[in-house]
Amino acid sequence: MASSLRTSNLVARGPANPLLLARQTPRQLRASQLSASGRRHASTAAESQPVSRLKTILFATSLTAGGYLVYLYGTDTRASLHRWLVPPMLRFLYPDAEEAHNAAVSSMKTLYSLNLHPRERGSKSRELDPELALSVFGHPLANPVGISAGLDKHAEIPDALFALGASVVEVGGCTPLGQPGNPQPRMFRIPGLEGLINRYGLNSRGADHMALTLRNRVRTYAKSVGLTEEQVLNGEGGVPPGSLYDGKLLAVQIAKNKDTPEGDVGAVAADYTYCVSRLAPYADILVVNVSSPNTPGLRDLQAVEPLTRILSAVVDEARRTSRKTAPKVMVKVSPDEDTEAQMDGIVQAVWQSGVDGVIVGNTTKRRAGVVPPGIVITPQEATTMAETGGYSGPMMFERTLDLVGRYRKMLDSRSYEPRQSTESTKAPVKDEAVSSSLAGIEGTATGMIEDDGVVLPEPSTPAAAASHEQKVIFATGGITNGQQALQILNAGASVAMVYTGLVYGGAGTVTRIKGEIKESMKAPR
């Protein structure tokens, strides 16, 4: 009896007792069921929490790793998308070539500020490559590939362009006063030839604006390395004061305003010297543009007499630059002035003015030979070819190669007595390691003596020797691959520069050309 009573009590206390459940109200029933279910779920959740956390960590890690790989790929100049996706996409999105150019510059500027810009990677991307390194103007240069003016007209993205692997970046052209250039449209594509026609007319924001842009860049760099602006400009940062990168040089192209009459050589010279006075402190090389086909009368200044006067004025002003080492001066000449007499006059002006080198090539007004035999262009492209302006593209290569070889021979075989400077009391000799404060002091290390107000270098001084040093040649025009660049270098140029090839070939063009140069040098002959 006692046993059966205990059994019935146990049954009554059990959670599944049907008699007890029957007596419970619906609310009591639901509460008890939820309580039991909650205990089971809490136990299951407690067991699954480590697994859930592990899954979350794995997902976040995979997402981060995937994003980092995309970042590495997308910002590497070797990525194929920079050649096969981005340029065609720009052409599709922006039928107007100038709009595409502006969008590309704006994008590069923004991406650089976010550290998302394309850049060279690899063990030799930040140091001199022994296979490609050379010396130009006494500076070690990381490689012989540069980017021509026109891409960065207002010096907005020199750092982003250096990141693409170029050792020389040329910004500009810059005029003394801001000017809008020619009416739009003024830039046209010929995709079938991978060519461009432009008639920008040297649109510029002016020398003061560019000087402020470049000065702010120097100040930012100086602050980052704990130096003053003056120390950086005097080379105490261990980098060239223009480029701010070891093994690289910044060239700044200058030109006259459109409204300055080309017949008034004095006024033209004043335009160039004003640009020099504002921009020289922030440049490693000053490039005198007398070859743009889109400024009326500009190419007439390539005649020997006016060119000598203009270049002499630029050299004098450059030597007065208030920093330890003055920038070098080069002149950019037209591919259309190619007769023996025209080239001889330019060479004579280069020697007599004391200019340090020549950039061979610019866009051409000529259309003969631009379309190669066997190549059929569309009717729209044929119409575009008739547009006024300067043409650039791969078909310019043979002309550039020929001009480089001829200029090399003429510059080396002709030696004109340098002019007598009237500015040397204010102009320290560039090639001597002396402070500008010593300039004009008779008997100092400058090696200069006074003679009736005209200062002449002694024959034994480094200045006289420097006047007979080999002139440097940079080449631009039609260079699209490493084999062509190597041909240009072997013809006598120190740097092969690209522009149109970069527009069609994308951000990886310089990296690709450098790789092809090395492969060509290794190939059996």
Side-chain angles (χ1 to χ4, degrees):
M1 185 67 177
S3 174
S4 61
L5 181 60
R6 286 194 298 269
T7 302
S8 62
N9 288 337
L10 289 172
V11 171
R13 292 172 187 169
N17 184 351
L19 296 176
L20 180 61
L21 292 174
R23 287 197 298 269
Q24 290 176 332
T25 63
R27 182 178 296 175
Q28 290 173 327
L29 178 60
R30 286 195 297 272
S32 63
Q33 288 175 331
L34 289 172
S35 176
S37 174
R39 286 194 297 271
R40 290 194 298 271
H41 282 255
S43 175
T44 304
E47 292 174 0
S48 63
Q49 280 180 0
V51 176
S52 178
R53 282 197 298 269
L54 180 60
K55 288 180 179 178
T56 301
I57 292 171
L58 287 174
F59 176 75
T61 302
S62 300
L63 192 63
T64 302
Y68 184 63
L69 290 175
V70 170
Y71 164 78
L72 288 178
Y73 175 77
T75 59
D76 194 322
T77 54
R78 295 169 294 184
S80 59
L81 67 89
H82 294 304
R83 184 177 187 182
W84 305 115
L85 177 62
V86 175
M89 184 172 66
L90 277 172
R91 292 196 294 273
F92 175 75
L93 294 175
Y94 299 96
D96 182 85
E98 183 174 355
E99 288 185 6
H101 171 268
N102 293 337
V105 171
S106 178
S107 298
M108 291 185 71
K109 186 176 181 179
T110 301
L111 291 174
Y112 187 85
S113 69
L114 299 173
N115 196 34
L116 296 175
H117 60 288
R119 80 288 305 270
E120 268 198 346
R121 285 200 174 88
S123 60
K124 295 176 181 177
S125 62
R126 297 182 180 272
E127 58 188 37
L128 297 180
D129 186 338
E131 296 180 83
L132 295 177
L134 67 158
S135 178
V136 174
F137 298 131
H139 291 279
L141 211 58
N143 62 76
V145 183
I147 295 176
S148 294
L151 188 61
D152 187 8
K153 290 179 174 292
H154 312 299
E156 297 177 277
I157 53 170
D159 297 297
L161 295 180
F162 278 122
L164 301 182
S167 65
V168 175
V169 169
E170 182 187 2
V171 299
C174 183
T175 54
L177 303 177
Q179 60 181 31
N182 293 321
Q184 296 176 335
R186 53 192 181 183
M187 188 175 187
F188 310 90
R189 305 185 188 101
I190 305 100
L193 302 176
E194 293 192 348
L196 295 171
I197 291 175
N198 91 79
R199 53 169 180 262
Y200 274 108
L202 288 169
N203 55 312
S204 171
R205 295 172 185 168
D208 290 337
H209 185 279
M210 183 178 285
L212 181 61
T213 301
L214 293 175
R215 185 178 189 182
N216 287 337
R217 177 173 172 266
V218 170
R219 287 178 169 179
T220 300
Y221 175 82
K223 185 176 180 180
S224 71
V225 297
L227 297 174
T228 66
E229 176 186 347
E230 183 179 5
Q231 287 174 317
V232 172
L233 293 179
N234 284 329
E236 295 179 38
V239 293
S243 73
L244 305 179
Y245 294 97
D246 187 30
K248 300 188 177 185
L249 298 174
L250 178 69
V252 177
Q253 185 190 116
I254 58 176
K256 80 174 188 71
N257 277 119
K258 181 179 181 180
D259 294 337
T260 304
E262 63 276 5
D264 187 346
V265 178
V268 172
D271 270 13
Y272 286 100
T273 55
Y274 181 82
C275 289
V276 174
S277 69
R278 304 297 291 139
L279 298 169
Y282 315 109
D284 300 311
I285 304 168
L286 291 166
V287 180
V288 182
N289 182 359
V290 290
S291 57
S292 170
N294 303 310
T295 299
L298 187 64
R299 289 188 172 183
D300 296 338
L301 299 174
Q302 293 177 109
V304 59
E305 195 276 333
L307 184 59
T308 301
R309 289 179 59 188
I310 292 167
L311 295 181
S312 297
V314 169
V315 169
D316 286 339
E317 188 65 35
R319 287 177 176 170
R320 290 201 294 266
T321 304
S322 57
R323 71 182 199 202
K324 189 174 181 178
T325 304
K328 300 295 182 179
V329 178
M330 302 185 76
V331 57
K332 193 164 196 171
V333 299
S334 166
D336 295 342
E337 272 60 50
D338 56 358
T339 68
E340 198 75 11
Q342 289 169 327
M343 293 175 65
D344 185 81
I346 291 170
V347 169
Q348 182 176 341
V350 166
W351 276 109
Q352 291 186 339
S353 64
V355 160
D356 302 291
V358 178
I359 297 183
V360 175
N362 205 325
T363 57
T364 179
K365 290 182 176 180
R366 299 175 184 174
R367 298 294 185 264
V370 168
V371 181
I375 298 296
V376 179
I377 60 175
T378 66
Q380 183 179 356
E381 290 173 335
T383 301
T384 302
M385 288 294 294
E387 290 283 355
T388 301
Y391 172 84
S392 61
M395 291 308 297
M396 290 293 296
F397 172 72
E398 293 297 335
R399 192 184 305 183
T400 302
L401 181 64
D402 174 66
L403 287 173
V404 168
R406 292 169 64 191
Y407 268 110
R408 180 78 281 160
K409 291 178 181 178
M410 294 175 73
L411 285 165
D412 292 349
S413 63
R414 292 160 171 77
S415 179
Y416 298 92
E417 197 65 32
R419 67 191 172 87
Q420 298 180 350
S421 174
T422 60
E423 302 286 346
S424 54
T425 55
K426 300 179 182 179
V429 179
K430 294 182 290 183
D431 298 305
E432 295 185 7
V434 296
S435 170
S436 60
S437 63
L438 296 178
I441 302 177
E442 186 175 353
T444 65
T446 57
M448 311 294 277
I449 60 173
E450 295 184 4
D451 182 14
D452 296 329
V454 179
V455 183
L456 304 174
E458 291 286 315
S460 59
T461 63
S467 68
H468 296 284
E469 289 178 356
Q470 188 180 53
K471 301 298 183 180
V472 172
I473 293 177
F474 292 175
T476 180
I479 301 167
T480 59
N481 57 58
Q483 292 78 15
Q484 292 177 333
L486 191 58
Q487 285 181 266
I488 289 288
L489 300 174
N490 288 335
S494 297
V495 175
M497 307 183 79
V498 297
Y499 170 54
T500 306
L502 191 65
V503 171
Y504 282 93
T509 300
V510 174
T511 299
R512 175 172 51 81
I513 287 175
K514 287 156 62 176
E516 290 170 349
I517 290 174
K518 290 194 280 189
E519 290 300 318
S520 295
M521 291 191 299
K522 294 176 183 177
R525 299 183 181 182

